Amino acid sequence: MAGNSYGDIFKVTTFGESHGPAIGVIVDGVPPQIPLSEKDIQFDLDRRRPGQSKITTQRKESDTVEILSGVFEGQTTGTSLAMLIRNEDHRSKDYSNIKDIFRPGHADYTFQKKYGIRDYRGGGRSSGRETACRVAAGAVAKKILDLQNIKIIAYTLSVGSVEAKKIDHSVIEKNIVRAPDLAAAKRMVKKIDEARKNLDSIGGVVEARVHGTPVGLGDPVFGKLNAKLAYGLMSIGTIRGIEFGLGFDATEMLGSKHNDKFYLDGDRIRTRTNNAGGTLGGISTGEDILLRVAVKPPSSIASAQQTVNASGEDATIEVKGRHDPCICPRVVPVVEAMIALTLVDCLLLQKTISTS
Amino acid sequence: MAGNSYGDIFKVTTFGESHGPAIGVIVDGVPPQIPLSEKDIQFDLDRRRPGQSKITTQRKESDTVEILSGVFEGQTTGTSLAMLIRNEDHRSKDYSNIKDIFRPGHADYTFQKKYGIRDYRGGGRSSGRETACRVAAGAVAKKILDLQNIKIIAYTLSVGSVEAKKIDHSVIEKNIVRAPDLAAAKRMVKKIDEARKNLDSIGGVVEARVHGTPVGLGDPVFGKLNAKLAYGLMSIGTIRGIEFGLGFDATEMLGSKHNDKFYLDGDRIRTRTNNAGGTLGGISTGEDILLRVAVKPPSSIASAQQTVNASGEDATIEVKGRHDPCICPRVVPVVEAMIALTLVDCLLLQKTISTS
Amino acid sequence: MAGNSYGDIFKVTTFGESHGPAIGVIVDGVPPQIPLSEKDIQFDLDRRRPGQSKITTQRKESDTVEILSGVFEGQTTGTSLAMLIRNEDHRSKDYSNIKDIFRPGHADYTFQKKYGIRDYRGGGRSSGRETACRVAAGAVAKKILDLQNIKIIAYTLSVGSVEAKKIDHSVIEKNIVRAPDLAAAKRMVKKIDEARKNLDSIGGVVEARVHGTPVGLGDPVFGKLNAKLAYGLMSIGTIRGIEFGLGFDATEMLGSKHNDKFYLDGDRIRTRTNNAGGTLGGISTGEDILLRVAVKPPSSIASAQQTVNASGEDATIEVKGRHDPCICPRVVPVVEAMIALTLVDCLLLQKTISTS
Amino acid sequence: MAGNSYGDIFKVTTFGESHGPAIGVIVDGVPPQIPLSEKDIQFDLDRRRPGQSKITTQRKESDTVEILSGVFEGQTTGTSLAMLIRNEDHRSKDYSNIKDIFRPGHADYTFQKKYGIRDYRGGGRSSGRETACRVAAGAVAKKILDLQNIKIIAYTLSVGSVEAKKIDHSVIEKNIVRAPDLAAAKRMVKKIDEARKNLDSIGGVVEARVHGTPVGLGDPVFGKLNAKLAYGLMSIGTIRGIEFGLGFDATEMLGSKHNDKFYLDGDRIRTRTNNAGGTLGGISTGEDILLRVAVKPPSSIASAQQTVNASGEDATIEVKGRHDPCICPRVVPVVEAMIALTLVDCLLLQKTISTS
């Protein structure tokens, strides 16, 4: 309910504004005795960091994480784990012009109406900067998933109308757009560059696949695994849609084609296809979880836009500052983080079901 | 966390199996002094009821609701409101053949692996029958939304490849498929009939629009209104995807086109387009909330399917019983219910924000 | 938050008014494959039932429980377990005289002010009758505790100034006041009879002891085991205080006397005394949990009392109907139930801590 | 469930170990536009601070708070409010001797068994130092209560067998033991000094009174106001019992004496006595909330005690370091904080009940 928390057992609570002194996160419910250091966290933070390539914002933030509690002599203690990231590159002056103007596509207007006050500097609490905390917490979750050989892989499937034609996991971290297809990646980068030069931005699709999930995660009725994943992923500000397995394509299919047939593979029951995308009745089947999210074009664009000011008068705005022309490459680790947080929460919850 | 509850302030908890003695729901957090009777509930239950037309399952259930608590002299009391629906048409014999066989597309296998036991009769707890409880609770929520002039309308946008070409709200309840276009409705019914005759089933898309939402619902970061709606709607077993506003189409757009421009309409700030679908930064803008969900083809089909039994041996199954060849017409009130539950929860939560 | 729910993993939600058609409870989070039947529930319900002896209210309710869901072929299924108890002995006419009058010591006034409406019949939702649902849910919890050899024993330690002089568990269910001392029990019954004949009521102390709790239940900081027990027990309407171990007597002690010394007993670390009452730092030590609750004299008394009516005018009331002159004997199973619910919740939560 | 969080709407989550780099707290659900600065927080932190008088521990911590988020231009923004307190006086060497020894009365043993690991330095997460975070969050809550003229006053009612004979609020902050009676305060200080000189410690009773609570806070059944207060207060490590109104004394009373009679005082319905201590049916009556908590003698004493080490072997320990011989004076602000947090949570929750 408290909007800044996520998860039930493995519970994440975040704080911080884009241009305040720091952002941070508390993770409660971390199982004890898991090896953990700042280095484990920093790896994914660096993948989300601004300024990592020519197609991301050039804002400079080292996003250096400090663990404040919950780790003792290199291991988690089971008590609340806090992580702090100091903000370095404030440049608040960049944002003073938006104090009384509502930027199109941003949350300026809705925050102002909801709270009657807002920290307008760089979007304040509504800035995408808060996702660094998700990534930090997600890195802790990934350590736990690693112990169970559960692997999450996300990548940019398309940018605008440019789609990856093949899915080669090995190349994802070898191109700056994080696509699974090097040839398509080149075209995507070109597309993004084009948008940037036109003082514009562009959307895309990020796909994720989880391998190694045990059968039985997720709860029937409201607590379905796919419902929880949808909640977590849709809470990323830039995402406008999500689908599992065949998703919207399933709506044009016949049941006889869509139903995944069971068969015995060694000593394990599996399905010959995976149209469902890894869950049945909201519970994981053990097949790969497969999902795609729709990433909108970033709202911050440098070209002039018509809008209104706080008094409702017509105004023109050019969103200065340093922005991402396409957020897909930096959303990839955030998508992974939200999946990791959700899965660990379900894994821990599942322990309460087993009678042994 | 408890998988059978939904909502934080306006909290719904359901119980019941398809072929047990009854299903039911407790709604906690209902504001007091709201006029309510069984009749208010029954209206939507009848829209979800099996056997309501030739294109739905012919299973006979009157789905008569009994209010057991929380209403006194025609008004809610503020204490927990319980509603009971007795199951009438058990016919458990229809299902004895699936005791040891996993039906493709159903939750038989995942329930069995998760719990080590399952009530296999008609799907037990995993049956779509549980959605009657959502509809009953949703009817209470709708009474509250009515008082604030918030209206939810859902309809079948497409069945298979047959799409509605126009959106005329006045005809939705005048055709058995609940489409907003009578001509398209005829073609949809034909498509569904065809699937049924072929012992098959077919999917579709349900769209929903909410008019009258005040600005300010939903919480930043994890508690976004669209994230909560995605959670609630994706928890409906038959749904495989959701998108808001332009959804996946936004991924091919430029930011300059996608951003909704603000303008002053009388004394109210509005946007000229509604590509975002009613939220910015996860908070309602006051524009209509617009969303679409992907409804998969029902898993229960009468034609023979290959599968395995509980021992992993090959088996063939024909899912006997009386099933829906397309669930869209009956999902429409369930979609409305989940939206209503989510909105009331956010409305009540928003009261805690206002300083007055 | 929803006031009618209790517990996090093993989650109880209750409904029902004293004079409505029924009361009931949903238990979510029940582990699967636990043998359970109505008989298991009925045993404790009978211990709480009105009319069980001459010193309890003579209101007639068989309190027959019906399991509506969550049990299949004699075992729990892991899905939400619902239990229903129909109200039989309404006699609403007994209560019509209190429609517009606030009974001293009762919640009539506070409910009316909080909600602007109340079901005044027999106290409605504020009636102690709701504790039958706690006892029903508690009986399910006890089945789980039994599997782990955790035993809860509660008894009436004192009635007014009459105290038990010895603690003999074997006699508790052999006297109608549920005291652990037959000689004291006789004097207690006399004391209660005296109060009843004087159209009055009397308080007492109930003590509880839990044997067999493993080390490690409860969470540091806010989720302490003793804090959770205090929450659960203080939520019983009739209880005005609670203490653990030496409780208030500890406030007059020196630390050197109060600290329980550790020693090795076989292969188990124990403490030579148990002044702490079974927890250290909010986490169970493995020693017996020992607590006492203060039970106030029942508010319903037949003698004339000064009060005001809904308009604030002076009024006199004699609370007719059939009341308990001392509620201790019937509170004993309710105390056990709340302890059982709390312990099972902590036991299940503890499973999420273990790394294995 | 997450043991490090408290509250539902006004939600507090804390972190930090006694000898880690910092402790801190996130408060979510703070209403916007409340004037707030570090100075508001520091006042109560200073009342809890170690080294504040000769009868408290001489450990040196300035407990200087830094607000990291949620406040903009001197006002709360409605988003998550984070506060950080750096630890200054580590002196970890003081504690190295307890690495493998279980101190009597402390949580060393239970933490070790629960988690298999513990930060033993100064008690780590189980240290009373975490209450500084409660006090910081409580100071925010008090700002909100102030706006509604709700006042919380707590004081040391007794130390050992020395009791305050009168309750004069004006002298509480004028004596180092925080007693409401200057003459008794002198005797209490003497008692504490005596304990300290004997390398021992002593317990006491802290009483609290809340004036100005509106009628209607708290929820029936499990969410009773007194139950929530009991939960919050019992979660303070040093507290072993709690009672409301007459508390345990009520157990020896007749109902005719115990029931508080209603009367009309001007236009307000009140009770002539307040034996109930401010709630009826778990809902506030508008009379003062009155409660007392039993504070145990501190477990840390410098005299030699018998115990065991981690291997279960006999050991002797003298708890070196700088400890409080009686914690009552420093518990007073913590008690106030937990009451403030609970009341604000209930106040905000009550907004969801009102139909206007």
Side-chain angles (χ1 to χ4, degrees), chain A residues 221-222, chain B residues 4 13-18 21-26 68 82-85 125 129-130 133, chain C residues 15 25-27 67-70 79-84:
Chain A
V221 186
F222 301 110
Chain B
N4 298 288
T13 305
T14 67
F15 69 86
E17 287 89 32
S18 175
I23 59 175
V25 54
I26 301 178
L68 292 178
M83 293 180 281
L84 190 75
I85 300 170
R125 186 63 180 146
R129 179 147 182 74
E130 61 84 9
C133 296
Chain C
F15 69 86
V25 54
I26 302 176
V27 192
I67 296 177
L68 293 179
S69 72
T79 60
S80 48
L81 194 158
M83 294 179 280
L84 190 75

Side-chain angles (χ1 to χ4, degrees), chain D residues 150-181:
Chain D
I150 301 173
K151 302 290 175 201
I152 302 168
I153 293 155
Y155 41 81
T156 300
L157 188 70
S158 64
V159 168
S161 57
V162 183
E163 273 185 75
K165 297 297 180 204
K166 55 179 182 178
I167 309 294
D168 176 356
H169 294 168
S170 71
V171 305
I172 297 168
E173 292 299 318
K174 292 181 178 152
N175 68 85
I176 57 177
V177 77
R178 292 200 166 87
D181 171 345

Side-chain angles (χ1 to χ4, degrees), chain B residues 52-72:
Chain B
Q52 63 182 267
S53 78
K54 63 174 184 173
I55 57 168
T56 66
T57 169
Q58 297 305 305
R59 188 180 171 185
K60 294 294 178 206
E61 287 284 357
S62 72
D63 282 356
T64 305
V65 69
E66 181 187 8
I67 296 176
L68 292 178
S69 72
V71 175
F72 185 60

Side-chain angles (χ1 to χ4, degrees), chain A residues 98-103 108-109 112-113 118 307-315, chain B residues 264 267 269:
Chain A
I98 59 166
K99 181 178 174 183
D100 295 316
I101 285 193
F102 299 135
R103 291 171 299 166
D108 304 337
Y109 170 65
Q112 188 67 40
K113 289 287 279 189
R118 78 182 201 278
T307 185
V308 296
N309 65 19
S311 316
E313 297 160 337
D314 285 344
Chain B
L264 194 69
D267 60 352
I269 291 175

Side-chain angles (χ1 to χ4, degrees), chain D residues 29-96:
Chain D
V30 182
Q33 295 181 278
I34 293 168
L36 190 76
S37 75
E38 268 102 352
K39 201 185 294 179
D40 295 309
I41 314 296
Q42 201 62 50
F43 175 78
D44 271 342
L45 279 177
D46 288 347
R47 294 173 67 221
R48 196 215 72 98
R49 199 163 49 85
Q52 63 182 267
S53 79
K54 63 173 183 173
I55 57 168
T56 65
T57 170
Q58 296 307 303
R59 187 179 172 185
K60 292 294 178 206
E61 288 284 358
S62 72
D63 283 355
T64 306
V65 70
E66 179 188 8
I67 295 177
L68 293 178
S69 71
V71 175
F72 184 61
E73 298 181 345
Q75 289 192 308
T76 59
T77 59
T79 59
S80 49
L81 195 157
M83 294 180 281
L84 190 75
I85 300 169
R86 290 272 169 191
N87 292 328
E88 295 163 356
D89 185 12
H90 300 195
R91 290 211 208 168
S92 293
K93 61 181 179 310
D94 278 357
Y95 294 98
S96 56

Side-chain angles (χ1 to χ4, degrees), chain C residues 1 3-6 8-9 12-14 102-107 109-111 113-115 125 130 134 158-161 195 200-205 215-224 226-228 230-231 234-237 239-244 247-248 250-264 268-270 275-277 279-281 283-285 292-301 303 305-314 338 349-350 353, chain D residues 1 3-6 8-9 12-14 102-107 109-111 113-115 125 130 134 158-161 195 200-205 215-224 226-228 230-231 234-237 239-244 247-248 250-264 268-269 275-277 279-281 283-285 292-301 303 305-314 338 349-350 353:
Chain C
M1 184 179 42
N4 298 288
S5 289
Y6 185 76
D8 290 312
I9 304 282
V12 169
T13 305
T14 68
F102 299 136
R103 293 171 298 166
H106 279 282
Y109 171 64
T110 52
F111 264 62
K113 289 286 279 188
K114 182 179 185 75
Y115 296 116
R125 185 65 179 146
E130 61 85 8
R134 305 180 184 219
S158 65
V159 167
S161 56
D200 213 328
S201 66
I202 189 153
V205 172
V215 192
L217 301 193
D219 286 289
V221 188
F222 301 109
K224 289 184 168 78
N226 41 337
K228 289 182 173 183
Y231 177 52
M234 197 65 76
S235 77
I236 303 172
I239 290 181
R240 312 315 296 258
I242 181 167
E243 57 180 12
F244 292 84
F248 278 87
T251 69
E252 302 199 15
M253 289 178 80
L254 295 173
S256 56
K257 290 284 180 298
H258 183 263
N259 280 348
D260 300 308
K261 310 294 182 275
F262 289 108
Y263 75 106
L264 193 68
R268 187 177 146 213
I269 290 177
R270 299 197 49 185
N275 296 334
T279 63
L280 283 175
I283 300 171
S284 62
T285 58
R292 277 169 301 285
V293 292
V295 180
K296 73 171 184 178
S299 303
S300 290
I301 54 177
S303 57
Q305 298 178 87
Q306 278 307 112
T307 187
V308 296
N309 64 19
S311 315
E313 298 160 336
D314 285 345
M338 291 313 299
L349 190 52
Q350 181 61 11
I353 303 290
Chain D
M1 185 178 40
N4 297 288
S5 289
Y6 186 76
D8 290 311
I9 305 281
V12 168
T13 305
T14 68
F102 299 135
R103 293 170 298 166
H106 278 282
Y109 171 64
T110 52
F111 264 63
K113 289 287 279 188
K114 182 180 185 74
Y115 297 116
R125 185 64 180 146
E130 60 86 7
R134 304 180 185 219
S158 64
V159 168
S161 57
D200 214 326
S201 66
I202 190 155
V205 172
V215 192
L217 300 193
D219 285 290
V221 187
F222 301 108
K224 290 186 168 75
N226 41 338
K228 289 182 173 182
Y231 176 52
M234 196 67 73
S235 78
I236 304 170
I239 290 182
R240 311 316 296 258
I242 182 167
E243 57 180 11
F244 293 84
F248 278 88
T251 69
E252 302 200 15
M253 289 178 80
L254 295 173
S256 56
K257 290 285 180 297
H258 183 263
N259 280 348
D260 299 310
K261 310 295 181 274
F262 289 109
Y263 75 105
L264 194 68
R268 187 179 147 211
I269 290 175
N275 296 334
T279 62
L280 283 175
I283 301 171
S284 62
T285 59
R292 275 170 304 282
V293 292
V295 180
K296 72 169 185 180
S299 303
S300 289
I301 55 177
S303 56
Q305 300 178 84
Q306 280 305 113
T307 186
V308 296
N309 64 17
S311 316
E313 297 160 336
D314 285 344
M338 291 313 298
L349 190 51
Q350 180 61 11
I353 302 289

Side-chain angles (χ1 to χ4, degrees), chain C residues 77-335:
Chain C
T77 59
T79 60
S80 48
L81 194 158
M83 294 179 280
L84 190 75
I85 300 170
R86 292 274 169 189
N87 292 327
E88 294 164 355
D89 187 11
H90 300 195
R91 288 212 209 171
S92 293
K93 62 184 178 310
D94 278 358
Y95 293 98
S96 56
N97 66 319
I98 60 168
K99 181 178 173 183
D100 296 315
I101 285 191
F102 299 136
R103 293 171 298 166
H106 279 282
D108 304 338
Y109 171 64
T110 52
F111 264 62
Q112 187 68 39
K113 289 286 279 188
K114 182 179 185 75
Y115 296 116
I117 183 176
R118 77 183 202 277
D119 179 348
Y120 53 80
R121 299 167 303 162
R125 185 65 179 146
S126 74
S127 164
R129 180 147 180 73
E130 61 85 8
T131 59
C133 296
R134 305 180 184 219
V135 168
V140 181
K142 283 182 177 179
K143 291 285 288 188
I144 296 167
L145 296 177
D146 276 350
L147 296 174
Q148 311 217 17
N149 286 313
I150 302 173
K151 302 291 173 198
I152 303 167
I153 293 157
Y155 41 82
T156 300
L157 188 69
S158 65
V159 167
S161 56
V162 183
E163 273 186 75
K165 297 297 178 203
K166 55 178 181 180
I167 309 293
D168 176 355
H169 294 168
S170 72
V171 305
I172 297 169
E173 293 298 320
K174 292 181 178 152
N175 67 86
I176 56 177
V177 77
R178 292 201 167 86
D181 171 346
L182 284 182
K186 272 190 197 166
R187 292 196 302 280
M188 291 175 183
V189 170
K190 202 176 146 204
K191 196 87 181 174
I192 295 171
D193 256 341
E194 206 174 284
R196 186 175 53 81
K197 280 174 193 154
N198 293 333
L199 310 183
D200 213 328
S201 66
I202 189 153
V205 172
V206 167
E207 186 169 83
R209 180 178 287 272
V210 186
H211 186 70
T213 310
V215 192
L217 301 193
D219 286 289
V221 188
F222 301 109
K224 289 184 168 78
L225 177 57
N226 41 337
K228 289 182 173 183
L229 286 166
Y231 177 52
L233 289 163
M234 197 65 76
S235 77
I236 303 172
T238 194
I239 290 181
R240 312 315 296 258
I242 181 167
E243 57 180 12
F244 292 84
L246 292 183
F248 278 87
D249 285 352
T251 69
E252 302 199 15
M253 289 178 80
L254 295 173
S256 56
K257 290 284 180 298
H258 183 263
N259 280 348
D260 300 308
K261 310 294 182 275
F262 289 108
Y263 75 106
L264 193 68
D265 179 18
D267 60 352
R268 187 177 146 213
I269 290 177
R270 299 197 49 185
T271 57
R272 295 205 182 270
T273 48
N274 185 14
N275 296 334
T279 63
L280 283 175
I283 300 171
S284 62
T285 58
E287 300 298 321
D288 283 3
I289 294 170
L290 187 63
L291 60 88
R292 277 169 301 285
V293 292
V295 180
K296 73 171 184 178
S299 303
S300 290
I301 54 177
S303 57
Q305 298 178 87
Q306 278 307 112
T307 187
V308 296
N309 64 19
S311 315
E313 298 160 336
D314 285 345
T316 302
I317 188 158
E318 295 162 32
V319 184
K320 300 259 171 70
R322 296 138 297 163
H323 307 295
D324 292 270
C326 176
I327 201 66
C328 289
R330 294 180 62 206
V331 159
V332 162
V334 182
V335 164

